[in-house]
């Protein structure tokens, strides 16, 4: 299968591309390599995939050391480049993981999220329509649950009260995808990712922030005075779920009832899945695991809740289990230990 994976210089996209290549798929990776966080980490991920920094040119396919892999540095918002890429490469499937990331940054720089997450996603949908790609999966986010208080979060829940523009753009992606599924019979599956961690993770996320601070003998910021929990999910478990979705495009829900509609499926080939560990962990327990793996105790700066944040996330993954027998099997202690091993080896400043 020939697959376009957008965001391959990013955390999840890198791991997905690596796994697809290992099983023999042809992969074209795409990323604009923006400077939201350290681009050196992004280039290091690409190098792991066989792409050398010095060979990368804007909007031109770069060959990899793996003959089944190519990479293009491009922006999803560039309609002409996207159309040319789809026309020439004739993809069997697309997994769109590229996006402007970060909940809190969306408060500071909202237009970046509209350009990447809305305009860019529109270009993906249009290119799928115009160039015959009928299998699309894409990154949504657990942040779409917003003000929902009932947990675990279920894909059948309504998600009309986001608390950040980032979340609102992800919700818009789900609505846009449904429209294209309905109008053009494109199979679309949205994946609401819950807190993903592991080797090669993002430096703006808690594992890296905490590890950097602890090893530098600086205090870590612990928001909401530590009274938070997250459905931490190890990267390998996430990638296994994504690949199951790529291999099994969404289909029509024959039992769907327009009078009592479920928001996670449709009479169109459309599906929404939570993808998480189905087991929330308290923030303080997560910090303890990092302390144990580092052999150091964190200085903790307890703070109030931040704007745009939520107290807890908890994924109901029953649909993913039912459809694909999805079973994350990486323990928190093992996952954190794997992250710290990588951190010590590859991310020393």
């Amino acid at each position: 299968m020939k697959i376009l994976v957008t965001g391959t210089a990013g955390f999840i996209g890198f791991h997905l591309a690596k796994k697809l290549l290992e099983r023999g798929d042809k992969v074209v990776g795409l990323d604009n390599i923006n400077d939201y966080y350290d681009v050196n980490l992004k280039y290091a991920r690409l190098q792991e995939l066989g792409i050398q920094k010095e060979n990368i040119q804007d909007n031109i396919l770069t060959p990899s050391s793996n003959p089944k892999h190519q990479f293009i540095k491009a922006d999803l918002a560039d309609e002409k480049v996207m159309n040319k890429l789809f026309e020439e490469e004739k993809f069997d499937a697309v997994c769109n993981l590229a996006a402007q990331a970060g909940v809190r940054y969306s408060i500071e720089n909202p237009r970046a999220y509209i350009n990447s997450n809305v305009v860019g996603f529109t270009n993906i949908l249009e290119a799928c329509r115009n160039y015959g790609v009928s299998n699309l999966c894409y990154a949504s986010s657990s942040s779409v649950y917003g003000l929902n208080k009932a947990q675990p979060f279920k894909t059948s829940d309504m998600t009309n009260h986001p608390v950040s523009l980032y979340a609102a753009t992800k919700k818009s992606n789900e609505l846009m995808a449904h429209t294209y599924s309905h109008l053009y019979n494109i199979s679309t599956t949205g994946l609401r990712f819950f807190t993903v961690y592991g080797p090669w993770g993002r430096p703006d996320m808690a594992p890296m922030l905490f590890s950097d601070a602890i090893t530098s003998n600086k205090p870590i910021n612990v928001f909401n005075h530590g009274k938070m929990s997250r459905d931490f999910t190890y990267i390998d478990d996430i990638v296994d779920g994504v690949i199951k979705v790529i291999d099994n495009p969404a289909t029509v829900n024959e039992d769907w009832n327009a009078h009592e509609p479920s928001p996670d499926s449709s009479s169109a080939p459309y599906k929404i899945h939570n993808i998480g560990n189905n087991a929330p962990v308290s923030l303080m327990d997560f910090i303890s695991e990092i302390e144990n793996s580092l052999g150091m105790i964190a200085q903790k700066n307890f703070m109030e809740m931040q704007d745009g944040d939520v107290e807890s996330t908890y994924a109901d993954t029953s649909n993913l289990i039912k459809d694909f027998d999805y079973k994350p099997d990486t323990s928190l202690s093992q996952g954190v230990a794997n992250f710290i091993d990588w951190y010590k080896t590859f991310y020393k400043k």
Side-chain angles (χ1 to χ4, degrees), residues 1 32 44 70 117 140 231 248 260 269 273 292 294 340 342:
M1 187 156 44
N32 67 357
Q70 292 176 294
N117 301 3
S140 185
D231 201 325
N248 298 276
E260 297 179 6
H273 284 296
N292 290 339
L294 285 173
I340 294 300
W342 168 80

Side-chain angles (χ1 to χ4, degrees), residues 6 49 75 77 103 342:
T6 71
L49 294 172
D75 196 316
V103 170
W342 168 80

Side-chain angles (χ1 to χ4, degrees), residues 104 221-228 283 303-306:
R104 294 164 194 136
N221 291 328
V222 182
F223 294 101
N224 202 37
H225 301 277
K227 298 175 183 177
M228 301 180 75
L283 180 60
M303 302 176 69
E304 298 295 327
M305 181 77 84
Q306 293 188 108

Side-chain angles (χ1 to χ4, degrees), residues 125 133-138 174 176-190 245 248-254 256 263-272:
L125 290 169
V133 180
S134 59
N135 180 3
L136 168 65
C137 72
Y138 61 94
E174 295 178 1
M176 294 160 68
H178 182 268
T179 302
Y180 276 71
S181 292
H182 172 73
L183 291 175
Y184 309 115
N185 203 39
I186 299 171
S187 293
T188 67
T189 304
V245 167
N248 298 276
T251 57
V252 170
N253 180 358
E254 299 291 351
W256 193 78
D264 61 0
S265 63
S266 174
S267 57
Y270 168 87
K271 190 67 178 177
I272 298 292

Side-chain angles (χ1 to χ4, degrees), residues 161-215:
H161 301 96
V163 295
S164 69
L165 185 66
Y166 170 74
T169 63
K170 289 299 184 179
K171 171 67 174 178
S172 76
N173 287 174
E174 295 178 1
L175 297 173
M176 294 160 68
H178 182 268
T179 302
Y180 276 71
S181 292
H182 172 73
L183 291 175
Y184 309 115
N185 203 39
I186 299 171
S187 293
T188 67
T189 304
L191 295 170
R192 292 176 179 168
F193 290 114
F194 284 68
T195 311
V196 188
Y197 75 99
W200 297 98
R202 281 168 36 196
D204 62 319
M205 299 295 284
M208 194 85 78
L209 292 172
F210 291 162
S211 299
D212 277 346
I214 293 169
T215 56

Side-chain angles (χ1 to χ4, degrees), residues 101-132:
V103 170
R104 294 164 194 136
Y105 185 61
S106 69
I107 297 173
E108 303 168 19
N109 194 359
R111 285 180 175 80
Y113 290 77
I114 299 301
N115 288 336
S116 179
N117 301 3
V118 179
V119 176
F121 191 61
T122 301
N123 289 339
I124 287 283
L125 290 169
E126 276 289 280
C128 287
R129 174 172 79 94
N130 292 325
Y131 299 103

